[in-house]
Amino acid sequence: MTEAVTPPSPLDPTSLPPEKRGAAAGAITPEDVRDGAVIALLLGAAGLLLGLLWLWLAPRVQYVSNGEAVFLRNSESEARIASDGTFFLLSLGLGVLSAVGTFLWRRAGGVPLVIGLAVGSVFGALVGWRFGLWLGPTSDLVAAAKQAGKGVPFDAPLELLAHGALLAWPMTAVLLHLGLTALWTPRDPDPVPVFGWSGYYQVPPPADAAPSAPEAPRA
């Protein structure tokens, strides 16, 4: 005894093809993680350049000694504020270069790339700050005053009073990279529609509707 098989209705949607295994799980590949690590290492090393430029371009605060105490040579000088501004502007410039360079290297973007950009920028800013302090004049004012001599001005050590400037590089790099990715990253093509499925819901005819009889030919 055979079972009755109901023929499929032409209005029934065709079944969609099965998704590929690992399509969602394979969104982040080992190559993406490697690229993010490379970006982080390069930006961390670029912090050395930030320290060198900061030491070279930042205005200097000078002290002078009278043999008993150390005083500011110019108490109205704004060199300390200008030093923070120099670090901030250099960080902005490096943030722009980091974002543009990363985007041109890997236009597709990705989460590992953004994480590497953020971590590398933070590490680079910290390296630039500490490297500039290390290369700059000594922080031992007494020893520097004795070495310079009485009445001879000498440079004060570099200082970063506004520690918020350390965030200028990572914030600029991440935000600009996300903007470039959103504007110029090529989009994924639209999926090819399955044959026989229009994508629109069609109301099936009522079950009790009788087929209309053909009209008789007219004389």
Side-chain angles (χ1 to χ4, degrees):
M1 181 178 182
T2 59
E3 297 181 356
V5 179
T6 304
S9 173
L11 298 178
D12 293 339
T14 58
S15 58
L16 297 178
E19 297 182 356
K20 296 182 179 180
R21 291 185 178 180
I28 298 179
T29 63
E31 289 76 13
D32 296 334
V33 178
R34 179 201 59 192
D35 294 342
V38 169
I39 289 295
L41 291 177
L42 291 178
L43 295 184
L48 301 176
L49 177 62
L50 173 60
L52 288 173
L53 293 176
W54 184 38
L55 177 64
W56 179 36
L57 299 176
R60 302 298 176 85
V61 178
Q62 289 191 327
Y63 286 102
V64 66
S65 173
N66 61 358
E68 297 180 356
V70 178
F71 304 94
L72 282 172
R73 184 182 181 187
N74 183 6
S75 59
E76 298 181 357
S77 175
E78 297 181 354
R80 293 184 182 275
I81 301 176
S83 178
D84 290 0
T86 302
F87 188 91
F88 179 78
L89 293 178
L90 289 174
S91 298
L92 286 181
L94 288 174
V96 172
L97 292 178
S98 302
V100 174
T102 302
F103 175 74
L104 294 178
W105 183 48
R106 290 291 183 268
R107 289 179 178 268
V111 175
L113 206 64
V114 176
I115 294 177
L117 186 64
V119 173
S121 300
V122 172
F123 186 66
L126 293 174
V127 169
W129 171 42
R130 301 308 301 179
F131 189 60
L133 296 182
W134 181 69
L135 290 179
T138 178
S139 58
D140 190 352
L141 298 182
V142 176
K146 290 181 180 180
Q147 183 178 2
K150 182 179 179 180
V152 179
F154 59 93
D155 292 336
L158 282 176
E159 288 183 343
L160 185 64
L161 301 179
H163 290 168
L166 295 171
L167 299 177
W169 187 350
M171 291 184 64
T172 302
V174 172
L175 293 178
L176 182 57
H177 181 267
L178 292 177
L180 293 174
T181 304
L183 290 176
W184 285 293
T185 296
R187 305 297 180 184
D188 296 333
D190 295 334
V192 180
V194 182
F195 178 76
W197 171 246
S198 61
Y200 297 96
Y201 178 75
Q202 299 178 355
V203 180
D208 55 352
S212 57
E215 296 182 359
R218 298 181 180 179

